[in-house]
Amino acid sequence: NNANCDIQCEENDTCTAEIDCGGADVCEVSCLGDDSCSAGFTFAGANDDVNVDCQGQRTCTGAIECGQIGNCDITCVGDDSCSGALDLGAEVANLSCDGDGSCTGAILCDDNGEDCNIQCDGIDSCTQNIACGVAALVTSCDIDCLGNGSCAGGITCNAEQCLLACDGDSCTGNVAC
């Protein structure tokens, strides 16, 4: 439909069905209430930038799939937020996992051809496998595992350039570059 899509889920237990921004030029989704945005997200058909803000506790618990055009910015501030699989296949993908126990599903950034930036600052965040780049289809992958116990599920980076920072008893799984 080539319009902008702005979805605000401000109350607890709101936006519990799948959110699909297919055809939107710009898609903004804010999940502020606890237990909001509990189904999956599909942005695969989005025409440009996608921004998802998961601030409430246990928000954005379904899978999130970015489109391949534009930027995809996902912020997981709430504790136990973004617990589904995260597919960051945009031109430029930015994932910020600041909440404790956030981003506990597998994280994949494998076919965008550009840059992938993943920050795992929350305690016990990014606990499943992180895979970045397949056959160097990703130009650069920057992964920061600074939260205690973050990035415990292993990291595989096949980008042209891989930057990995680990601190606070993080990166305890296998790391392959």
Side-chain angles (χ1 to χ4, degrees), residues 2 7 17 63 92 97 99 114 117 125 143 150-151 155 166 168:
N2 295 343
I7 301 169
V92 176
C97 305
E114 295 293 333
N117 304 298
S125 62
I143 304 171
S150 64
C151 305
I155 298 169
C166 303

Side-chain angles (χ1 to χ4, degrees), residues 5 7 9 15 17-22 27 29 31 37 39-43:
C5 185
I7 301 169
C9 306
C15 303
E18 181 175 285
I19 296 173
D20 185 350
C21 283
C27 184
V29 180
C31 304
C37 304
F41 295 82
T42 302
F43 304 116

Side-chain angles (χ1 to χ4, degrees), residues 83-99:
S83 57
L86 302 169
D87 185 345
L88 309 174
E91 288 179 5
V92 176
N94 297 298
L95 174 64
S96 179
C97 305
D98 295 329

Side-chain angles (χ1 to χ4, degrees), residues 9-32:
C9 306
E10 297 178 358
E11 300 295 324
N12 293 344
D13 301 305
T14 56
C15 303
T16 57
E18 181 175 285
I19 296 173
D20 185 350
C21 283
D25 284 337
V26 176
C27 184
E28 303 270 347
V29 180
S30 295
C31 304
L32 307 178

Side-chain angles (χ1 to χ4, degrees), residues 3-162:
N4 292 342
C5 185
D6 188 2
I7 301 169
Q8 302 289 323
C9 306
E10 297 178 358
E11 300 295 324
N12 293 344
D13 301 305
T14 56
C15 303
T16 57
E18 181 175 285
I19 296 173
D20 185 350
C21 283
D25 284 337
V26 176
C27 184
E28 303 270 347
V29 180
S30 295
C31 304
L32 307 178
D34 292 347
D35 301 301
S36 63
C37 304
S38 57
F41 295 82
T42 302
F43 304 116
N47 296 324
D48 207 345
D49 295 343
V50 171
N51 296 303
V52 180
D53 187 12
C54 305
Q55 290 191 23
Q57 308 299 310
R58 299 169 305 281
T59 57
C60 307
T61 55
I64 300 175
E65 178 184 1
C66 294
Q68 294 189 356
I69 299 173
N71 296 338
C72 184
D73 296 316
I74 302 171
T75 304
C76 306
V77 176
D79 291 347
D80 302 312
S81 62
C82 304
S83 57
L86 302 169
D87 185 345
L88 309 174
E91 288 179 5
V92 176
N94 297 298
L95 174 64
S96 179
C97 305
D98 295 329
D100 293 345
S102 63
C103 305
T104 54
I107 299 171
L108 178 64
C109 187
D110 67 348
D111 59 359
N112 66 2
E114 295 293 333
D115 299 324
C116 193
N117 304 298
I118 301 169
Q119 292 182 298
C120 304
D121 293 338
I123 296 170
D124 296 324
S125 62
C126 308
T127 56
Q128 296 296 315
N129 187 57
I130 299 172
C132 191
V134 171
L137 291 175
V138 174
T139 304
S140 73
C141 189
D142 187 350
I143 304 171
D144 293 328
C145 304
L146 305 179
N148 286 337
S150 64
C151 305
I155 298 169
T156 302
C157 185
N158 292 317
E160 290 179 20
Q161 178 178 348
C162 298

